[in-house]
Amino acid sequence: KIQAIHDAGITGEGVTIAVLDGALNPDVPTLRGADIEGRHLDGCPDPGLGAEVFEASSHGTSVTSLVVGNGTSEIGAGPVGIAPGARILYYGVLQDACDVNSVAAALDDAVDQGADIVTVSGGYGRLTDEFSQETVDSVSAALRDGVLVVAGLPNRGTATDFELMTMNGVVNVASVDAQAEPAKDYGGSDMRNEDVDVVAPGVDVAGLGWDGSWGMSTWSGNSAATPIVAGLLALAKEKWPDATASQLLQSLIRNTGSEPHELQWSSRLGHGVVNATRLLEEDPAQYPDENPLFKDGQAPTLDEVYSTPEPSESEAPGAQANAGPGGLPWTLAGGGAVVVVVAVILIVVIRRRRGDVADAES
């Protein structure tokens, strides 16, 4: 019922979403009229590759279209964005040539630029004990500033994790099909993940570039489900502007499925299938102002994010009086998006680090 929500005037207007992905074709008909600002960071090439580089830019262009697409494409109909009124800050930090700490740099810049939501459909594959402290610090700063961080989970089990998927406070997203059944792994079994928070449509959804044109084609994977969740949070933020980020997360995980229910969780569906109508109907102010997505043994801790820092010596009471004359009182997730279009399979490498690949298949 997204169209009915848009018709009622809720489009994500006034909300800023930072998209962290690979390359982008900003000139496709689907993105005409969208408010998109490309952010160029040191250590990363310009993400705008142009019209003919389908293999590199289909992923990022499809992700962005699921947030702010206008419903058209080169051949007529195209992806309709969940939050077409939102402002997009685009970071091409999952390109091969980007510096290893580009995700942290993008998070920091997004916070500085006023982002309300960050969505990442992929990332670096690393062992948990190799995660960058810089990224932990950047996630902590974003959460502390009230920024919602949404990240796609890998489409298959690996020995490594995406850099954000085991970070506390982050919304980890997996995908379901049109019957609300979990996406399947390569063996045909339901995908399961101990870190999944919510699931969203991610099988045979509208995309661009997967068939070698900028007409609408279909693709699948957690990469597709992730921007849908980010878009829904943008709609909720517009509808309930006084709600805190933590209250919006509480509402997201409590108002899943088609009927009211007690808070629940499983490795198949997380807290359930996101529901746009229920998310917008329920006032988030009824829920605790506490981020519900923290686990013991994961970083950052609640204290690292939300505790008031100890005052420095210069800020301590009486410090100014004692200072003297000169004294002066901070891969693509679905990484691998599993994409099936006309039974043709193409592996799209969005990011490779330490031999781990975030791949998309079309």
Side-chain angles (χ1 to χ4, degrees):
K1 301 182 180 180
I2 293 298
Q3 189 58 55
I5 292 170
H6 292 171
D7 290 344
I10 305 298
T11 64
E13 185 78 26
V15 180
T16 298
I17 302 175
V19 176
L20 279 57
D21 212 283
L24 172 76
N25 179 2
D27 299 320
V28 293
T30 313
L31 297 179
R32 286 177 188 159
D35 185 359
I36 301 175
E37 177 185 348
R39 300 291 299 170
H40 185 216
L41 301 179
D42 291 342
C44 269
D46 188 329
L49 288 181
E52 302 305 321
V53 192
F54 298 110
E55 183 172 329
S57 56
S58 56
H59 191 278
T61 306
S62 295
V63 164
T64 306
S65 295
L66 287 174
V67 182
V68 292
N70 59 27
T72 69
S73 73
E74 258 187 4
I75 60 171
V80 175
I82 299 295
R87 173 192 179 215
I88 298 294
L89 300 172
Y90 192 90
Y91 298 84
V93 294
L94 302 186
Q95 299 177 90
D96 275 343
C98 289
D99 181 80
V100 69
N101 289 320
S102 57
V103 170
L107 281 168
D108 293 342
D109 189 75
V111 172
D112 289 344
Q113 296 301 313
D116 301 295
I117 301 166
V118 175
T119 181
V120 193
S121 286
Y124 298 101
R126 295 182 177 181
L127 297 174
T128 302
D129 59 4
E130 294 178 340
F131 282 165
S132 163
Q133 184 61 44
E134 185 175 357
T135 304
V136 174
D137 292 343
S138 295
V139 169
S140 297
L143 297 176
R144 190 160 45 247
D145 207 59
V147 177
L148 297 158
V149 182
V150 184
L153 292 166
N155 288 322
R156 59 180 180 178
T158 65
T160 60
D161 296 326
F162 285 151
E163 196 157 16
L164 297 184
M165 69 177 277
T166 58
M167 296 274 182
N168 271 331
V170 173
V171 185
N172 288 317
V173 181
S175 53
V176 292
D177 62 19
Q179 286 70 48
E181 291 296 322
K184 306 299 182 184
D185 63 22
Y186 293 147
S189 301
D190 288 351
M191 289 291 295
R192 293 178 179 271
N193 194 297
E194 294 302 316
D195 291 296
V196 60
D197 293 311
V198 293
V199 292
V203 178
D204 294 334
V205 297
L208 299 167
W210 301 105
D211 61 353
S213 79
W214 293 115
M216 184 168 66
S217 50
T218 59
W219 65 308
S220 302
N222 299 338
S223 286
T226 305
I228 291 174
V229 173
L232 292 181
L233 286 169
L235 299 181
K237 186 167 182 62
E238 180 188 3
K239 174 69 182 295
W240 303 103
D242 294 330
T244 67
S246 292
Q247 287 173 328
L248 290 174
L249 292 182
Q250 293 273 2
S251 187
L252 177 74
I253 67 173
R254 292 172 184 274
N255 291 300
T256 56
S258 57
E259 300 293 337
H261 56 77
E262 295 297 320
L263 192 62
Q264 59 191 20
W265 183 89
S266 75
S267 61
R268 292 174 67 250
L269 299 172
H271 291 97
V273 183
V274 293
N275 185 310
T277 303
R278 295 188 60 209
L279 181 63
L280 295 183
E281 285 177 347
E282 296 293 333
D283 186 350
Q286 67 185 287
Y287 304 120
D289 186 12
E290 300 170 354
N291 190 313
L293 305 180
F294 276 71
K295 296 179 181 178
D296 291 339
Q298 292 187 354
T301 66
L302 273 169
D303 285 345
E304 286 176 318
V305 176
Y306 297 112
S307 290
T308 303
E310 292 293 330
S312 65
E313 186 175 330
S314 63
E315 295 171 332
Q320 184 66 27
N322 298 326
L328 295 173
W330 170 26
T331 320
L332 307 173
V338 179
V339 183
V340 181
V341 181
V342 197
V344 178
I345 298 195
L346 172 65
I347 300 223
V348 179
V349 178
I350 296 296
R351 192 66 162 143
R352 184 189 297 269
R353 277 291 182 270
R354 300 178 182 268
D356 296 294
V357 179
D359 55 282
E361 302 171 6
S362 78

